[in-house]
Amino acid sequence: MVYQIYPRSFLDTNHDGIGDLRGILRKLDYLQTLGVDIVWLCPIFQSPNDDNGYDISDYRAVMTEFGTMADFDELIAAMHARGMKLVLDLVVNHTSDEHPWFVASRTSKTSPYRDYYLWRPEREHRPPSEWRSAFGGPAWTKDERTGEYYLHLFSKKQPDLNWENPAVRQEVHALMRFWLNKGVDGFRMDVINAISKTETLPAYEAYVAGAPVAEEFHPNGETVHAYLKEMRSEVLNGHVTVTVGECPEVTPEMAHLYVDEDRQELDMLFQFEHMDLDWVPGTDTWHLRPIVLDELKQTLSRWQTALDRRGWNSLYWDNHDQPRVVSRFGDDGKYRVESAKMLATLLHMMKGTPYVYQGEELGMTNVAFDTIADYRDIATLRMYREKLAPDGSNQAELMAAIHARSRDNARTPMQWNAQAYAGFSEVKSWIGVNPNYTSINAEQALEDPESVFYYYQKLIALRKQQDIMVYGEYALLDTGTQPLYAYLRRMEGRVLLVVCSFTTQEELFRLPAELAGQPCECLIANYPAEPTPADMLRLPPYGAAVYLFTAQ
Ligand code: GLC
Ligand code: CA
């Protein structure tokens, strides 16, 4: 399993309110207790922090606030000594506008670095296209020095690199080798399916000659596959690595092109279809709609089935861009513990590599800061600024959307104990602590055998004992209109039955005929489940239970 750390919010050891590498080092025992195999660190490189490290100005230097290269070397050595692997975030769709390449690129049209980025002249006194940045506003910014526009799919401080340029690709390969030679075990590749723009944006000369630009940018342009294959053969194949690509707008059919073994591209990817179920499609993600259990089942099952024989799934609920799952798909009030465990069960029993985002193992929840001044995320602040009515009449509505969907929900400091600043720091942190830290924190969880933490620990340990959890074939069970998500995993005559309840009511689940009355063993449950159910299973609110039926 992979544990994702957002270093800025993990643990601060030098009292500046910002998490750091030594903070991670100090918590390796904690990670080992949980059962972590691989740690993925969100960007730790030098950055002006317009987007908290996803805007890199030096790919070979550690962000000053996070520590030094010596700290990094110590951290990776300590991880390896414990048998843990380390994955870094590779952010190469774009750089910071303060990266020396961009600084040089913008100086003149003839700079050797000009072609490292995507510059285009205006068209009929308009930007080259109407593309929108993912954080709001136009995706093109005019640079006065040369009068041309540069493309930035994210903030204007994150100019997109021109992957068509072989020099850019070689630079990326070189920086990957730099970290691999330091012992890094792989990469999580930021919006990697967006690097190809060939189909959406004509080359400079063609553009100037009048070739049309696509109406909207969409990722998965054709050349991305050539670039990934090149990266694999030029860089990754020389090392033992694990790679996972962040791939918005990817379908299971497309996923095969990225992750099937014979394609020699990526090991896994992050798809977003199950993350898109609580906002209105076609909007900018801030328009909420209630989550429909049946859609969640259909979506996750589609991925489970499509990548069953070929390819491999990554399994996740939380990350640094998503609201907390217990608040989103569970109940963060009365049934917080039960629903956090239920959601963990549902995901960890599936086929693929499970990812746990810091604090998920504690059942950490969304936060609801009162004022916009308490928020830090560039996407949240930008949305609020753009949408706030001049008379402020929609303020409550915007704050409600932020409470539900802001990326800052995942970025409040890790809750270590009930002391000031949740034990994250001894001073006020860069972003406020969730006030519920007094009751939800690691120290308390480690003392309570019934905690969400120990439940995750057990799920993670089970996967290492039960090969059916890794390899078993997935089959969704029809539960009619009941608010249940039930599925089977099958392998060599054995069957794993997973039943999860999404309601505050008690539910009765009828076992499939083939399993009723058969000998079985309860592997894990978030309530005192019947050791051997006959034909009915009684599920309390947010109940979850897993049974292994062994071959006769
Ligand atoms: C990815 C990251 C996100 C970042 C964006 C731009 O989606 O996960 O945090 O803002 O890319 O780099
Ligand atoms: Ca610090």
Side-chain angles (χ1 to χ4, degrees):
M1 61 81 69
V2 183
Y3 189 86
Q4 182 193 351
I5 291 182
Y6 197 68
R8 178 165 292 268
S9 302
F10 193 63
L11 181 66
D12 171 26
T13 57
N14 67 339
H15 321 305
D16 61 356
I18 296 172
D20 41 56
L21 296 184
R22 302 209 73 82
I24 301 167
L25 188 65
R26 203 174 283 178
K27 291 295 180 186
L28 292 185
D29 279 344
Y30 173 83
L31 299 182
Q32 206 162 19
T33 305
L34 184 60
V36 172
D37 302 308
I38 300 177
V39 174
W40 150 30
L41 299 183
C42 282
I44 56 161
F45 317 101
Q46 204 59 264
S47 162
N49 283 314
D50 188 51
D51 185 20
N52 286 357
Y54 282 93
D55 48 320
I56 296 169
S57 54
D58 184 348
Y59 287 98
R60 289 180 175 78
V62 170
M63 193 189 298
T64 319
E65 292 164 318
F66 288 175
T68 63
M69 193 58 92
D71 294 333
F72 176 83
D73 291 337
E74 198 177 329
L75 179 61
I76 192 168
M79 282 181 176
H80 286 167
R82 290 165 190 260
M84 286 181 200
K85 306 280 182 204
L86 177 62
V87 163
L88 293 184
D89 220 306
L90 183 73
V91 188
V92 289
N93 172 69
H94 45 267
T95 69
S96 163
D97 66 339
E98 297 180 34
H99 192 289
W101 301 335
F102 190 75
V103 172
S105 183
R106 75 193 324 180
T107 54
S108 88
K109 290 187 196 173
T110 56
S111 158
Y113 288 95
R114 187 66 168 180
D115 206 29
Y116 270 45
Y117 296 86
L118 295 156
W119 294 96
R120 298 290 183 274
E122 62 181 23
R123 236 179 210 180
E124 286 148 21
H125 309 294
R126 300 276 311 149
S129 75
E130 303 302 320
W131 297 1
R132 309 289 295 168
S133 133
F135 300 151
W140 294 97
T141 292
K142 187 174 183 170
D143 199 44
E144 291 310 331
R145 241 163 301 182
T146 56
E148 289 191 338
Y149 286 80
Y150 66 90
L151 178 69
H152 53 90
L153 295 177
F154 296 90
S155 98
K156 65 171 192 275
K157 285 185 66 63
Q158 293 168 298
D160 280 53
L161 283 165
N162 175 18
W163 275 73
E164 298 297 300
N165 182 349
V168 166
R169 305 203 297 275
Q170 280 156 22
E171 299 268 19
V172 170
H173 298 164
L175 76 89
M176 291 174 76
R177 281 189 205 104
F178 172 84
W179 289 103
L180 288 169
N181 290 338
K182 281 190 140 309
V184 161
D185 303 290
F187 298 99
R188 174 268 186 186
M189 303 183 186
D190 193 60
V191 288
I192 199 67
N193 61 339
I195 58 179
S196 162
K197 275 104 182 171
T198 16
E199 281 139 275
T200 41
L201 179 64
Y204 193 94
E205 295 72 24
Y207 170 88
V208 172
V213 181
E215 218 154 284
E216 284 173 357
F217 173 79
H218 289 286
N220 305 307
E222 210 177 87
T223 48
V224 65
H225 298 292
Y227 301 152
L228 289 174
K229 285 184 199 314
E230 181 188 52
M231 187 187 269
R232 179 81 171 241
S233 63
E234 291 291 310
V235 184
L236 296 167
N237 278 347
H239 301 258
V240 178
T241 60
V242 59
T243 55
V244 51
E246 187 202 23
C247 293
E249 293 185 43
V250 80
T251 62
E253 295 67 43
M254 290 180 201
H256 281 299
L257 302 178
Y258 288 102
V259 302
D260 284 5
E261 225 173 317
D262 58 1
R263 297 276 303 174
Q264 289 287 300
E265 296 187 19
L266 300 170
D267 295 321
M268 290 174 271
L269 54 75
F270 291 126
Q271 56 86 18
F272 285 88
E273 292 189 334
H274 65 306
M275 293 283 104
D276 295 347
L277 298 175
D278 61 357
W279 50 275
V280 182
T283 70
D284 60 6
T285 81
W286 295 98
H287 296 81
L288 309 176
R289 68 175 171 129
I291 146 118
V292 179
L293 179 59
D294 207 48
E295 291 183 357
L296 182 66
K297 288 189 202 180
Q298 296 314 326
T299 304
L300 291 176
S301 299
R302 195 149 25 82
W303 280 90
Q304 285 290 297
T305 309
L307 272 65
D308 187 38
R309 301 273 163 89
R310 284 182 302 124
W312 190 248
N313 272 297
S314 39
L315 310 169
Y316 74 98
W317 287 130
D318 278 3
N319 66 37
H320 65 293
D321 293 328
Q322 298 293 335
R324 294 283 182 178
V325 70
V326 68
S327 302
R328 195 177 188 185
F329 297 158
D331 175 344
D332 63 9
K334 183 169 175 197
Y335 296 111
R336 183 186 68 84
V337 170
E338 291 80 356
S339 63
K341 292 177 181 176
M342 181 278 286
L343 289 162
T345 313
L346 181 67
L347 198 81
H348 283 249
M349 288 294 155
M350 286 189 173
K351 189 165 184 171
T353 296
Y355 288 71
V356 175
Y357 176 70
Q358 64 184 49
E360 182 184 334
E361 76 280 14
L362 304 175
M364 273 179 64
T365 69
N366 281 354
V367 73
F369 294 130
D370 292 336
T371 87
I372 192 70
D374 289 330
Y375 284 87
R376 300 286 175 267
D377 166 36
I378 179 172
T380 304
L381 298 176
R382 177 90 199 220
M383 180 285 280
Y384 187 84
R385 212 165 52 230
E386 279 182 2
K387 294 198 179 170
L388 187 64
D391 63 355
S393 55
N394 60 349
Q395 193 179 1
E397 190 192 320
L398 294 182
M399 288 310 291
I402 287 171
H403 293 163
R405 293 226 26 105
S406 172
R407 303 197 296 179
D408 281 339
N409 282 309
R411 299 176 182 185
T412 59
M414 179 75 177
Q415 294 164 204
W416 292 110
N417 58 44
Q419 289 155 31
Y421 310 111
F424 164 74
S425 180
E426 288 176 12
V427 300
K428 196 166 182 290
S429 42
W430 70 277
I431 185 170
V433 173
N434 190 320
N436 64 21
Y437 74 92
T438 49
S439 56
I440 305 173
N441 62 66
E443 188 176 281
Q444 181 269 348
L446 288 168
E447 282 162 10
D448 172 11
E450 300 298 318
S451 68
V452 178
F453 179 92
Y454 287 121
Y455 195 87
Y456 267 86
Q457 183 192 53
K458 185 164 179 192
L459 283 171
I460 293 162
L462 273 174
R463 180 170 280 263
K464 286 163 192 164
Q465 296 151 13
Q466 300 289 346
D467 56 358
I468 192 169
M469 279 175 72
V470 181
Y471 301 109
E473 191 178 332
Y474 172 95
L476 180 68
L477 289 176
D478 183 359
T479 49
T481 54
Q482 283 186 288
L484 300 176
Y485 189 153
Y487 62 89
L488 304 178
R489 303 282 305 278
R490 293 177 197 276
M491 184 177 170
E492 293 161 0
R494 287 172 284 150
V495 181
L496 197 65
L497 168 68
V498 183
V499 187
C500 294
S501 170
F502 278 76
T503 175
T504 55
Q505 307 301 311
E506 186 176 284
E507 288 288 326
L508 279 177
F509 169 80
R510 179 177 293 280
L511 266 64
E514 58 164 319
L515 300 179
Q518 298 297 318
C520 65
E521 149 193 22
C522 180
L523 292 188
I524 190 167
N526 66 353
Y527 66 100
E530 298 97 311
T532 46
D535 59 346
M536 289 298 236
L537 196 59
R538 187 177 298 277
L539 288 137
Y542 290 103
V546 180
Y547 290 90
L548 179 64
F549 293 79
T550 39
Q552 296 305 291

